[in-house]
Every structure is written in structure tokens, then in C-alpha cells.
């Protein structure tokens, strides 16, 4: 491959690292082309899965400011560049790896922070962003309902207490 081609490949990979929320490195040794196609579909629309050359990708990652992945560039490597919700793509990788033990998750990076293979699996165990946001909204709504009930209870309790006091005073006044 000519030098300009390598420079263009490095520049393209560096751009992918910069524009991605996360990148996950995998070893794909032993997977067929059909299995790789299935894997690409399972990652979702917001992820690209690319088989890469280690040397060029290592240079591109360093150019993008990611030097924590240097030790992972050995053996056949493919990178999942994730631009959307990293949890969805991590789940796709985890589920595919369960069915296809030849796929090995090496590690990755999320918003500039290095992730081990175990951390990526923990990320896959999280619920999606939408589910977490809806749970948070439900918790806020529940607290607001409790506060509204409390504020509504104070005036009605005051009215009941005042009425009980009026009745008691009338009884005491009538008894004398």
C-alpha cells in the first residue's frame, strides 16, 4: 500500500475515534463473513464495526488523543465505533459473544476513559438511557405526588382540628 493511502486510512480512523462516543476493540479470529455481518446488524444503526490494521489504528488512536488502548492492538482486531447509545451496542456485542465464543471483547474507550472487557460487560448490563430516564421521571413524579398530598393534608387537618375545638368549646359552654 502506498504511503498516501496509509495516511488517508489513519486520518479516517482518527476522525472516527474523535466523532465516536465510544469505541470497543474486539478479536474476531474464527468468525465467518456471515457472522460478522450478523454482528454488524446486532450493534444497531449508531455503530460501525470495522476490521482494522493494528499499526494504523494505533497511530490513529494516538492522533485522536487516545493512548490507553495501545496494549490492545495485537492479533486480529476489529473496532466498533459507537456514535449513539453505548449501552445498546455493548449489549449487542455481549449477546453476540455469548452465541459466538470466537468474538473476544478486548476493551475500549468511553468518552475518553479506558474500559476493560469486564467494564464493557457491566455497561451492557445497564438499562438503556430511555429506561433510566423514564425511571428517574417516575421517581420525580412520585415525590411530587407525595409533596402534593402532604400540602393538601395540612389545611384539611387544620379544619378538622378547628372544628373539633369549636365543638368542644360549645359543649363546655353548654355544660356550664
Amino acid at each position: 500500500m502506498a504511503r498516501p493511502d496509509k495516511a488517508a486510512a489513519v486520518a479516517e480512523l482518527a476522525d472516527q475515534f474523535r466523532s465516536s462516543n465510544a469505541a470497543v476493540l474486539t478479536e474476531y479470529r474464527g468468525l465467518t463473513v456471515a457472522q460478522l455481518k450478523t454482528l454488524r446488524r446486532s450493534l444497531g444503526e449508531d455503530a460501525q464495526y470495522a476490521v482494522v490494521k493494528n499499526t494504523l489504528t494505533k497511530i490513529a488512536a494516538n492522533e485522536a488523543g487516545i493512548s490507553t488502548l495501545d496494549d490492545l492492538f495485537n492479533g486480529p482486531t476489529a473496532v466498533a465505533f459507537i456514535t449513539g447509545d453505548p449501552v445498546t451496542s455493548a449489549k449487542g456485542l455481549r449477546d453476540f459473544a455469548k452465541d459466538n465464543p470466537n468474538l473476544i471483547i478486548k476493551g475500549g474507550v468511553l468518552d475518553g476513559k479506558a474500559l476493560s472487557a469486564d467494564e464493557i460487560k457491566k455497561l451492557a448490563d445497564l438499562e438503556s438511557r430511555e429506561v433510566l430516564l423514564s425511571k428517574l421521571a417516575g421517581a420525580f413524579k412520585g415525590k411530587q405526588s407525595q409533596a402534593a398530598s402532604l400540602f393538601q393534608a395540612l389545611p384539611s387537618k387544620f379544619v378538622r382540628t378547628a372544628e373539633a375545638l369549636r365543638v368542644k368549646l360549645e359543649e363546655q359552654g353548654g355544660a356550664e
Side-chain angles (χ1 to χ4, degrees):
M1 187 175 347
R3 195 54 76 195
D5 291 344
K6 288 183 180 181
V10 168
E12 183 180 340
L13 287 168
D15 286 343
Q16 285 183 307
F17 274 113
R18 284 187 200 102
S19 64
S20 298
N21 297 335
V24 178
L25 275 67
T26 63
E27 183 175 322
Y28 63 92
R29 186 186 329 234
L31 294 176
T32 64
V33 172
Q35 288 171 323
L36 288 174
K37 188 175 182 180
T38 303
L39 173 59
R40 285 185 176 99
R41 277 194 302 254
S42 70
L43 292 177
E45 295 177 5
D46 297 329
Q48 281 188 330
Y49 189 74
V51 174
V52 294
K53 290 188 172 277
N54 288 334
T55 307
L56 299 180
T57 309
K58 185 176 179 179
I59 293 168
N62 287 325
E63 281 185 15
I66 302 169
S67 59
T68 56
L69 301 176
D70 288 353
D71 296 339
L72 302 178
F73 291 112
N74 50 35
T77 303
V79 181
F81 294 103
I82 304 164
T83 55
D85 185 12
V87 173
T88 305
S89 296
K91 284 181 189 211
L93 283 167
R94 179 200 59 196
D95 295 344
F96 186 85
K98 281 181 186 176
D99 297 335
N100 300 282
N102 287 336
L103 180 74
I104 299 168
I105 298 172
K106 295 180 177 183
V109 63
L110 173 65
D111 293 328
K113 181 188 176 290
L115 297 176
S116 68
D118 290 334
E119 289 172 321
I120 292 170
K121 290 174 185 168
K122 287 179 186 176
L123 180 66
D125 292 336
L126 288 176
E127 293 174 330
S128 71
R129 182 177 188 272
E130 290 78 19
V131 171
L132 292 174
L133 287 175
S134 66
K135 283 185 176 185
L136 182 64
F140 282 140
K141 183 179 178 187
K143 292 297 179 188
Q144 288 175 343
S145 296
Q146 287 177 343
S149 298
L150 178 67
F151 292 136
Q152 187 178 13
L154 289 175
S156 63
K157 187 173 182 179
F158 174 74
V159 169
R160 286 194 305 272
T161 304
E163 181 63 22
L165 181 61
R166 184 189 63 76
V167 170
K168 184 176 179 181
L169 289 176
E170 283 180 3
E171 288 175 359
Q172 286 178 353
E176 292 180 20

